């Protein structure tokens, strides 16, 4: 299928939560791995680009899971580029189960940037040519989303950013942001609900040694939460997000 790229994954035990389902951070990691393999397939792998001080960074994104894959379940992730501008591209994703049914959708706005200067640069013309693009959306959502930062919240926690949180671009990886966000959700919600939808955008970088404040507040009469990550001791907002959670159908192993 011209323009599409697919990768198959076999879910492992260490990627499961106590309900025997892949975690949201695992799903985000698999989406990123699919994107990385798509880059590699055209001769512009991430480690080749970094030698030129060039990389892709996620500016905003969203994903929606109808259900999470189970232990040893084989899934296929299909990805493609739906549009380009000079410095950015929209990446679309569909997640299929073993029966070929769609169980997840994702969309991301990625920026091509210079790692040393920390500034966007034009996408290489050869990348555009080799990837092509398909004018088709996997997820109907607006990126970047219109989300207002929280100034006060019911949940407030300090997080020290460690070297293990940092990726090859020398900033905290977006998978870490998602884990911090999930850790801010009340236990009773996590026990009875799974992450159904998330949308968010990254505003400024977080580096090793930084201390950030995680703010989370629940909307009234719903399982929807708003989130803000800000740098401690300043007014700098690092990221904002909104999550929606739906009732679980699984119970923890050992509690059948």
């Amino acid at each position: 299928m011209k323009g599409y790229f697919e990768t198959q994954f076999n879910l492992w035990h260490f990627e499961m939560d106590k309900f025997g389902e892949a975690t949201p951070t695992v799903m985000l990691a698999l989406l990123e791995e699919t994107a990385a393999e798509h880059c590699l397939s055209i001769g512009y792998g991430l480690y080749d680009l970094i030698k030129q001080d060039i990389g892709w960074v996620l500016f905003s994104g969203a994903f929606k899971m109808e259900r999470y894959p189970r232990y040893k379940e084989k899934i296929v992730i299909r990805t493609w580029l739906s549009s380009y501008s000079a410095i950015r591209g929209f990446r679309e994703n569909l997640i299929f189960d073993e029966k070929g049914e769609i169980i997840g959708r994702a969309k991301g706005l990625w920026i091509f940037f210079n790692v040393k200067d920390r500034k966007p640069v034009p996408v290489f013309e050869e990348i555009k040519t080799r990837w092509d693009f398909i004018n088709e959306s996997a997820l109907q959502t607006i990126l970047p989303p219109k989300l207002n930062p929280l100034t006060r919240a019911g949940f407030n926690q300090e997080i020290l950013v460690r070297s293990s949180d940092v990726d090859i671009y020398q900033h905290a990886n977006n998978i870490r942001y998602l884990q911090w966000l999930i850790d801010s959700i009340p236990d009773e919600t996590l026990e009875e609900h799974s992450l159904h939808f998330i949308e968010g955008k990254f505003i400024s970088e977080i580096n090793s040694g930084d201390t950030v404040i995680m703010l989370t507040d629940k909307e009234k009469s719903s399982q929807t939460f708003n989130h803000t990550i800000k740098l401690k001791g300043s007014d700098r907002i690092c990221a904002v997000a909104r999550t929606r959670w739906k009732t679980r159908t699984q119970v923890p192993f050992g509690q059948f």
Side-chain angles (χ1 to χ4, degrees):
M1 295 181 290
K2 183 176 173 56
Y4 295 107
F5 180 83
E6 292 187 348
T7 301
Q8 179 176 287
F9 297 97
N10 187 7
L11 278 299
W12 297 84
H13 177 266
F14 70 88
E15 297 171 319
M16 303 294 106
D17 60 16
K18 67 179 182 180
F19 299 91
E21 297 177 335
T23 66
T25 52
V26 163
M27 297 311 302
L28 182 56
L30 296 182
L31 289 167
E32 292 196 1
E33 178 61 25
T34 302
E37 291 193 16
H38 196 193
C39 293
L40 188 63
S41 73
I42 63 167
Y44 284 93
L46 300 183
Y47 290 100
D48 298 315
L49 288 173
I50 199 68
K51 293 175 183 177
Q52 304 176 58
D53 295 320
I54 298 294
W56 288 98
V57 293
L58 185 62
F59 177 70
S60 64
F63 78 79
K64 181 179 183 181
M65 294 298 297
E66 298 305 328
R67 73 169 183 87
Y68 288 84
R70 304 280 288 173
Y71 174 53
K72 284 299 182 182
E73 183 175 358
K74 292 182 175 63
I75 62 170
V76 170
I77 299 181
R78 176 184 299 168
T79 191
W80 68 95
L81 277 294
S82 58
S83 66
Y84 289 110
S85 69
I87 61 171
R88 65 185 192 177
F90 285 92
R91 179 172 291 280
E92 313 285 342
N93 301 270
L94 292 175
I95 304 170
F96 297 89
D97 65 11
E98 293 181 337
K99 297 179 181 178
E101 296 179 353
I102 296 173
I103 61 172
R105 300 172 181 270
K107 186 182 187 77
L109 174 55
W110 292 82
I111 306 296
F112 205 57
F113 88 130
N114 184 289
V115 177
K116 281 190 174 180
D117 296 339
R118 317 308 280 184
K119 294 180 180 179
V121 293
V123 180
F124 299 160
E125 288 300 321
E126 192 168 359
I127 289 180
K128 295 181 181 180
T129 301
R130 293 188 183 186
W131 261 343
D132 203 355
F133 69 91
I134 301 170
N135 187 20
E136 177 184 339
S137 293
L139 183 62
Q140 298 300 321
T141 190
I142 297 174
L143 294 181
K146 296 180 179 179
L147 300 172
N148 296 319
L150 296 171
T151 56
R152 58 198 315 179
F155 178 93
N156 187 315
Q157 183 182 47
E158 293 187 9
I159 300 168
L160 174 63
V161 182
R162 303 180 184 277
S163 59
S164 58
D165 298 319
V166 173
D167 58 22
I168 62 172
Y169 304 128
Q170 298 304 304
H171 60 199
N173 186 269
N174 57 79
I175 296 172
R176 299 300 192 195
Y177 287 72
L178 178 57
Q179 188 60 62
W180 297 335
L181 182 155
I182 293 171
D183 289 342
S184 76
I185 300 296
D187 289 343
E188 56 269 25
T189 297
L190 294 176
E191 194 69 24
E192 299 179 0
H193 300 79
S194 60
L195 179 60
H196 179 51
F197 177 77
I198 179 173
E199 58 182 345
K201 63 179 178 181
F202 302 92
I203 299 171
S204 63
E205 293 182 294
I206 297 174
N207 305 113
S208 178
D210 287 343
T211 298
V212 296
I213 309 297
M214 179 80 230
L215 302 171
T216 291
D217 208 44
K218 185 176 183 291
E219 293 185 5
K220 293 181 180 180
S221 304
S222 72
Q223 288 297 332
T224 299
F225 295 81
N226 293 293
H227 313 270
T228 296
I229 299 176
K230 61 180 294 186
L231 188 68
K232 182 183 178 181
S234 78
D235 295 326
R236 194 176 91 191
I237 304 299
C238 302
V240 291
R242 178 184 291 120
T243 58
R244 293 201 304 267
W245 300 73
K246 68 177 183 178
T247 303
R248 287 187 179 276
T249 57
Q250 301 289 343
V251 297
F253 285 107
Q255 296 185 23
F256 292 102

